[in-house]
Amino acid sequence: MIPSSLLLLLTLLCLGVLVSAVDFYKVLDLARSASDKDIRAAYKRLSRKYHPDRNKDEGAEEKFVDIARAYEVLSDSTKRQIYDRHGEEGLKAHESGQPAHTNPFDIFQSFFGARGQQARKGPTSLSEIEVSLADIYTGASIDFMIKKRILCDHCRGSGAASSDDIHSCPSCGGAGVKIVRQQIFPGMFSQSQVSCNECGGRGKIIKKVCPHCQGSKVLDHTQHYTLEVPKGMPEGHEIVFEGEGDESPDWEAGDVVLRARSRKEKGGWRRKESGLYWKETIGVADALLGFERNLTHLDGHTVQLKRTGVTQPGYIQVIKGEGMPKFEQTGFGDLYVEYNVVLPTSLSPEMEKRFAEVFHLEDGQPKRDEL
């Protein structure tokens, strides 16, 4: 029989293991059914976000280490299978006697290739997108697709069927360059260094090309993104998706930049900074006698338009606090309502009677004592 004190100790140890266990899928914000492509995309996004050279927040470096460890396990089919079946403890048993976990910075360097942190950055893609004024007023999430090139899933940008198919160039000995000796005149020679024409200066040749990309190293891909439109977003506001440009083994992926503008709608709402503009059409009776009516705002709420007395054509009524949200501030701008007066081609009997009551008309003419 196990003593109660020993049983308690074992229970606490088990609980400690359970508490300390890390969910690698949760670290990468993935479902357990995630594909290899999903895992790579998640690591690419999160490793950039939490890299200590870019993110100085407290805990960013620890998060970066966890992300690297999760990727190291889930990107390895054998380790992932063991982890899925037996959890982290089963994985530790499998890795016992093996070298310690790979340095997270080495994983980062390996993932992004020899380009490294100081490498040349690829081109930035700039696109313009039109957003409805209603979405800018309320804020919105807009899904869109972008066609771009990504590193081949199979060869990871090497262009070879496998790592065994990559060899040092026999022509330049792997240096990528050749020394060319040229006679200037009898007895005198010059030496110059030129790029190897056999390997294109890479120092490597491929015996068997990748069957997926046919040796081109990249594939065409359509990527899904979500654009977060902030409330009151200014015209021409740029949203940057870092590192989401075309991929290549020769550079670090550039950025995708979206420049957002409000969609112009004929006869609808207009905006100028935090001011919102609307044209309201009224008849001659309302222009002369006044009126009350409701205007449905961009988010559906009702704004009351009220005028007493005469409203001149082109008159602009200012309604405080009913304009656009102030970007990255509190409060709203103002609403400017411009009135357009439409004159009838003829007066209906009801309108004639109404005018007669207000202006004391006799047979369509003012009374003599009012002349």
Side-chain angles (χ1 to χ4, degrees):
M1 184 176 178
I2 302 176
S4 58
S5 58
L6 180 58
L7 184 61
L8 177 61
L9 178 60
L10 290 172
T11 302
L12 290 173
L13 286 173
C14 290
L15 288 173
V17 168
L18 290 173
V19 169
S20 62
V22 179
D23 186 338
F24 292 140
Y25 290 99
K26 189 174 181 180
V27 169
L28 294 180
D29 193 23
L30 292 170
R32 298 186 76 85
S33 59
S35 65
D36 291 342
K37 185 182 291 186
D38 295 333
I39 293 169
R40 285 193 294 272
Y43 176 75
K44 177 182 177 181
R45 174 175 54 84
L46 294 172
S47 63
R48 288 177 181 275
K49 180 178 179 180
Y50 291 100
H51 194 289
D53 289 348
R54 294 187 176 187
N55 194 328
K56 304 299 182 183
D57 294 345
E58 184 178 352
E61 186 169 356
E62 182 180 349
K63 182 76 172 175
F64 178 75
V65 172
D66 290 341
I67 291 166
R69 173 58 177 162
Y71 176 72
E72 179 188 7
V73 172
L74 299 183
S75 62
D76 185 302
S77 58
T78 302
K79 290 183 179 180
R80 182 180 180 181
Q81 190 174 32
I82 293 172
Y83 175 73
D84 287 346
R85 290 182 177 179
H86 308 290
E88 193 175 6
E89 289 305 304
L91 188 62
K92 288 178 180 178
H94 169 74
E95 294 178 330
S96 61
Q98 298 181 12
H101 301 160
T102 307
N103 186 312
F105 294 96
D106 290 342
I107 294 176
F108 185 87
Q109 181 76 11
S110 175
F111 183 89
F112 291 101
R115 296 162 276 165
Q117 289 292 91
Q118 304 299 323
R120 178 169 66 98
K121 193 170 184 178
T124 293
S125 169
L126 175 62
S127 302
E128 293 204 354
I129 185 171
E130 290 188 336
V131 182
S132 72
L133 209 51
D135 284 340
I136 299 176
Y137 185 85
T138 59
S141 297
I142 300 175
D143 293 333
F144 65 99
M145 311 290 281
I146 287 182
K147 290 183 178 180
K148 65 175 186 175
R149 290 190 168 186
I150 62 171
L151 293 179
C152 175
D153 293 338
H154 181 75
C155 67
R156 292 300 300 157
S158 71
S162 69
S163 56
D164 295 334
D165 294 309
I166 304 175
H167 302 277
S168 293
C169 176
S171 182
C172 64
V177 293
K178 291 180 179 180
I179 304 299
V180 178
R181 192 166 181 262
Q182 194 172 24
Q183 183 177 348
I184 301 176
F185 52 81
M188 182 170 287
F189 296 86
S190 69
Q191 288 190 154
S192 60
Q193 182 174 283
V194 297
S195 178
C196 176
N197 59 347
E198 295 292 330
C199 63
R202 295 183 178 87
K204 304 287 184 182
I205 60 171
I206 297 172
K207 292 293 185 181
K208 184 180 179 182
V209 298
C210 172
H212 290 257
C213 64
Q214 308 304 320
S216 64
K217 304 178 182 180
V218 293
L219 297 170
D220 291 329
H221 176 69
T222 301
Q223 182 70 42
H224 170 267
Y225 295 94
T226 300
L227 172 65
E228 298 295 337
V229 179
K231 291 183 179 181
M233 176 192 73
E235 296 293 322
H237 180 66
E238 293 186 349
I239 300 94
V240 179
F241 295 84
E242 290 188 2
E244 293 297 335
D246 286 334
E247 297 179 3
S248 168
D250 300 323
W251 64 60
E252 182 180 349
D255 302 332
V256 170
V257 179
L258 283 187
R259 184 176 293 159
R261 300 185 183 279
S262 61
R263 185 183 301 118
K264 293 182 179 179
E265 300 173 359
K266 188 175 180 180
W269 296 88
R270 295 180 297 111
R271 63 93 61 102
K272 184 177 181 182
E273 298 177 352
S274 62
L276 197 55
Y277 296 80
W278 175 260
K279 284 189 175 182
E280 183 73 10
T281 299
I282 58 176
V284 65
D286 288 341
L288 294 174
L289 307 177
F291 61 88
E292 288 186 18
R293 61 175 63 181
N294 291 330
L295 172 64
T296 303
H297 210 294
L298 288 167
D299 64 343
H301 82 270
T302 300
V303 178
Q304 186 182 53
L305 303 181
K306 183 177 181 179
R307 294 285 300 154
T308 56
V310 177
T311 300
Q312 296 288 347
Y315 174 76
I316 297 176
Q317 180 182 8
V318 181
I319 303 177
K320 296 291 184 180
E322 288 291 352
M324 295 295 292
K326 295 181 178 180
F327 181 62
E328 295 182 344
Q329 300 179 39
T330 57
F332 292 77
D334 299 331
L335 170 61
Y336 301 85
V337 181
E338 180 182 350
Y339 290 101
N340 177 39
V341 179
V342 178
L343 298 176
T345 56
S346 61
L347 293 179
S348 65
E350 291 183 7
M351 195 174 294
E352 288 182 354
K353 182 179 180 181
R354 188 175 176 187
F355 285 151
E357 291 174 352
V358 173
F359 296 106
H360 309 293
L361 300 178
E362 290 183 351
D363 299 326
Q365 300 293 328
K367 291 181 179 179
R368 295 184 179 276
D369 57 357
E370 294 181 0
L371 294 177

Short mmCIF file of all heavy atoms in Angstrom, two decimals, residues 5-31:
data_model
loop_
_atom_site.label_atom_id
_atom_site.label_comp_id
_atom_site.label_asym_id
_atom_site.label_seq_id
_atom_site.Cartn_x
_atom_site.Cartn_y
_atom_site.Cartn_z
N SER A 5 1.39 10.18 2.25
CA SER A 5 2.30 11.29 1.95
C SER A 5 2.93 11.12 0.57
O SER A 5 3.08 12.09 -0.18
CB SER A 5 3.40 11.38 3.03
OG SER A 5 4.11 10.15 3.09
N LEU A 6 3.30 9.88 0.22
CA LEU A 6 3.89 9.62 -1.09
C LEU A 6 2.87 9.80 -2.20
O LEU A 6 3.17 10.33 -3.27
CB LEU A 6 4.46 8.19 -1.12
CG LEU A 6 5.13 7.75 -2.44
CD1 LEU A 6 6.28 8.70 -2.78
CD2 LEU A 6 5.63 6.32 -2.33
N LEU A 7 1.64 9.37 -1.91
CA LEU A 7 0.57 9.53 -2.89
C LEU A 7 0.31 11.00 -3.17
O LEU A 7 0.11 11.42 -4.33
CB LEU A 7 -0.70 8.87 -2.36
CG LEU A 7 -1.92 8.87 -3.31
CD1 LEU A 7 -1.58 8.12 -4.58
CD2 LEU A 7 -3.12 8.25 -2.63
N LEU A 8 0.35 11.85 -2.13
CA LEU A 8 0.15 13.28 -2.28
C LEU A 8 1.27 13.89 -3.11
O LEU A 8 1.04 14.73 -3.99
CB LEU A 8 0.07 13.95 -0.90
CG LEU A 8 -0.07 15.49 -0.89
CD1 LEU A 8 -1.37 15.90 -1.60
CD2 LEU A 8 -0.06 16.02 0.54
N LEU A 9 2.51 13.44 -2.86
CA LEU A 9 3.66 13.95 -3.59
C LEU A 9 3.54 13.62 -5.08
O LEU A 9 3.78 14.46 -5.95
CB LEU A 9 4.95 13.37 -3.02
CG LEU A 9 6.26 13.78 -3.72
CD1 LEU A 9 6.44 15.29 -3.66
CD2 LEU A 9 7.45 13.07 -3.08
N LEU A 10 3.13 12.36 -5.37
CA LEU A 10 2.97 11.94 -6.75
C LEU A 10 1.87 12.75 -7.44
O LEU A 10 1.99 13.13 -8.63
CB LEU A 10 2.64 10.45 -6.82
CG LEU A 10 3.78 9.49 -6.45
CD1 LEU A 10 3.27 8.06 -6.37
CD2 LEU A 10 4.91 9.59 -7.47
N THR A 11 0.80 13.02 -6.70
CA THR A 11 -0.31 13.81 -7.24
C THR A 11 0.14 15.22 -7.59
O THR A 11 -0.17 15.75 -8.67
CB THR A 11 -1.48 13.87 -6.24
OG1 THR A 11 -1.90 12.54 -5.93
CG2 THR A 11 -2.65 14.66 -6.83
N LEU A 12 0.92 15.82 -6.69
CA LEU A 12 1.41 17.17 -6.92
C LEU A 12 2.36 17.22 -8.12
O LEU A 12 2.33 18.16 -8.91
CB LEU A 12 2.12 17.70 -5.67
CG LEU A 12 1.20 18.01 -4.47
CD1 LEU A 12 2.04 18.37 -3.25
CD2 LEU A 12 0.24 19.14 -4.80
N LEU A 13 3.20 16.17 -8.22
CA LEU A 13 4.12 16.11 -9.36
C LEU A 13 3.36 16.01 -10.67
O LEU A 13 3.71 16.64 -11.67
CB LEU A 13 5.07 14.91 -9.20
CG LEU A 13 6.19 15.07 -8.15
CD1 LEU A 13 6.93 13.75 -7.99
CD2 LEU A 13 7.14 16.19 -8.53
N CYS A 14 2.31 15.18 -10.68
CA CYS A 14 1.49 15.04 -11.89
C CYS A 14 0.81 16.34 -12.26
O CYS A 14 0.75 16.74 -13.42
CB CYS A 14 0.44 13.94 -11.70
SG CYS A 14 1.16 12.28 -11.64
N LEU A 15 0.29 17.02 -11.21
CA LEU A 15 -0.35 18.30 -11.45
C LEU A 15 0.64 19.31 -11.99
O LEU A 15 0.35 20.11 -12.87
CB LEU A 15 -1.01 18.83 -10.17
CG LEU A 15 -2.27 18.10 -9.72
CD1 LEU A 15 -2.72 18.61 -8.36
CD2 LEU A 15 -3.39 18.27 -10.74
N GLY A 16 1.86 19.27 -11.45
CA GLY A 16 2.91 20.17 -11.90
C GLY A 16 3.24 19.95 -13.36
O GLY A 16 3.43 20.88 -14.14
N VAL A 17 3.27 18.67 -13.75
CA VAL A 17 3.53 18.35 -15.15
C VAL A 17 2.43 18.88 -16.04
O VAL A 17 2.65 19.46 -17.10
CB VAL A 17 3.69 16.82 -15.34
CG1 VAL A 17 3.68 16.47 -16.81
CG2 VAL A 17 4.98 16.34 -14.70
N LEU A 18 1.19 18.71 -15.57
CA LEU A 18 0.04 19.16 -16.37
C LEU A 18 0.02 20.67 -16.51
O LEU A 18 -0.28 21.21 -17.57
CB LEU A 18 -1.27 18.66 -15.74
CG LEU A 18 -1.50 17.15 -15.83
CD1 LEU A 18 -2.75 16.78 -15.03
CD2 LEU A 18 -1.64 16.69 -17.28
N VAL A 19 0.36 21.37 -15.39
CA VAL A 19 0.33 22.82 -15.42
C VAL A 19 1.42 23.36 -16.33
O VAL A 19 1.24 24.32 -17.06
CB VAL A 19 0.46 23.39 -13.98
CG1 VAL A 19 0.69 24.90 -14.03
CG2 VAL A 19 -0.77 23.05 -13.17
N SER A 20 2.62 22.71 -16.25
CA SER A 20 3.75 23.23 -17.01
C SER A 20 3.72 22.82 -18.48
O SER A 20 4.48 23.33 -19.29
CB SER A 20 5.07 22.74 -16.39
OG SER A 20 5.14 21.32 -16.45
N ALA A 21 2.84 21.87 -18.82
CA ALA A 21 2.80 21.40 -20.21
C ALA A 21 2.37 22.54 -21.13
O ALA A 21 1.50 23.33 -20.80
CB ALA A 21 1.84 20.23 -20.33
N VAL A 22 3.02 22.61 -22.27
CA VAL A 22 2.74 23.67 -23.24
C VAL A 22 1.94 23.10 -24.41
O VAL A 22 2.27 22.03 -24.92
CB VAL A 22 4.05 24.29 -23.75
CG1 VAL A 22 3.77 25.37 -24.78
CG2 VAL A 22 4.86 24.87 -22.59
N ASP A 23 0.91 23.81 -24.80
CA ASP A 23 0.14 23.41 -25.97
C ASP A 23 0.76 24.10 -27.18
O ASP A 23 0.58 25.30 -27.41
CB ASP A 23 -1.32 23.84 -25.80
CG ASP A 23 -2.21 23.32 -26.93
OD1 ASP A 23 -1.67 23.00 -28.01
OD2 ASP A 23 -3.44 23.25 -26.73
N PHE A 24 1.53 23.34 -27.97
CA PHE A 24 2.24 23.91 -29.10
C PHE A 24 1.28 24.47 -30.15
O PHE A 24 1.61 25.44 -30.84
CB PHE A 24 3.17 22.86 -29.72
CG PHE A 24 4.32 22.47 -28.82
CD1 PHE A 24 4.74 21.15 -28.73
CD2 PHE A 24 4.97 23.42 -28.05
CE1 PHE A 24 5.79 20.80 -27.90
CE2 PHE A 24 6.04 23.08 -27.22
CZ PHE A 24 6.44 21.76 -27.14
N TYR A 25 0.13 23.86 -30.29
CA TYR A 25 -0.85 24.37 -31.26
C TYR A 25 -1.37 25.74 -30.83
O TYR A 25 -1.57 26.64 -31.64
CB TYR A 25 -2.01 23.39 -31.43
CG TYR A 25 -1.62 22.12 -32.14
CD1 TYR A 25 -1.34 20.95 -31.43
CD2 TYR A 25 -1.51 22.07 -33.53
CE1 TYR A 25 -0.98 19.77 -32.08
CE2 TYR A 25 -1.15 20.91 -34.18
CZ TYR A 25 -0.89 19.76 -33.45
OH TYR A 25 -0.52 18.60 -34.10
N LYS A 26 -1.58 25.88 -29.52
CA LYS A 26 -2.07 27.15 -28.99
C LYS A 26 -1.01 28.24 -29.11
O LYS A 26 -1.33 29.41 -29.39
CB LYS A 26 -2.48 26.98 -27.52
CG LYS A 26 -3.21 28.17 -26.94
CD LYS A 26 -3.71 27.87 -25.54
CE LYS A 26 -4.46 29.07 -24.96
NZ LYS A 26 -4.95 28.79 -23.59
N VAL A 27 0.26 27.85 -28.93
CA VAL A 27 1.35 28.81 -29.06
C VAL A 27 1.36 29.43 -30.45
O VAL A 27 1.58 30.64 -30.62
CB VAL A 27 2.70 28.12 -28.77
CG1 VAL A 27 3.87 29.04 -29.16
CG2 VAL A 27 2.81 27.75 -27.31
N LEU A 28 1.11 28.60 -31.46
CA LEU A 28 1.10 29.09 -32.84
C LEU A 28 -0.28 29.51 -33.30
O LEU A 28 -0.48 29.86 -34.48
CB LEU A 28 1.65 28.01 -33.79
CG LEU A 28 3.13 27.65 -33.61
CD1 LEU A 28 3.53 26.58 -34.61
CD2 LEU A 28 4.02 28.87 -33.76
N ASP A 29 -1.25 29.48 -32.38
CA ASP A 29 -2.63 29.89 -32.70
C ASP A 29 -3.19 29.07 -33.86
O ASP A 29 -3.72 29.61 -34.84
CB ASP A 29 -2.67 31.38 -33.04
CG ASP A 29 -4.09 31.94 -33.07
OD1 ASP A 29 -4.96 31.32 -32.42
OD2 ASP A 29 -4.32 32.97 -33.71
N LEU A 30 -3.06 27.73 -33.72
CA LEU A 30 -3.48 26.83 -34.78
C LEU A 30 -4.43 25.75 -34.25
O LEU A 30 -4.42 25.44 -33.05
CB LEU A 30 -2.26 26.13 -35.40
CG LEU A 30 -1.28 26.99 -36.21
CD1 LEU A 30 -0.04 26.19 -36.51
CD2 LEU A 30 -1.92 27.47 -37.50
N ALA A 31 -5.22 25.19 -35.15
CA ALA A 31 -6.04 24.02 -34.81
C ALA A 31 -5.16 22.78 -34.95
O ALA A 31 -4.15 22.78 -35.64
CB ALA A 31 -7.23 23.93 -35.76
#
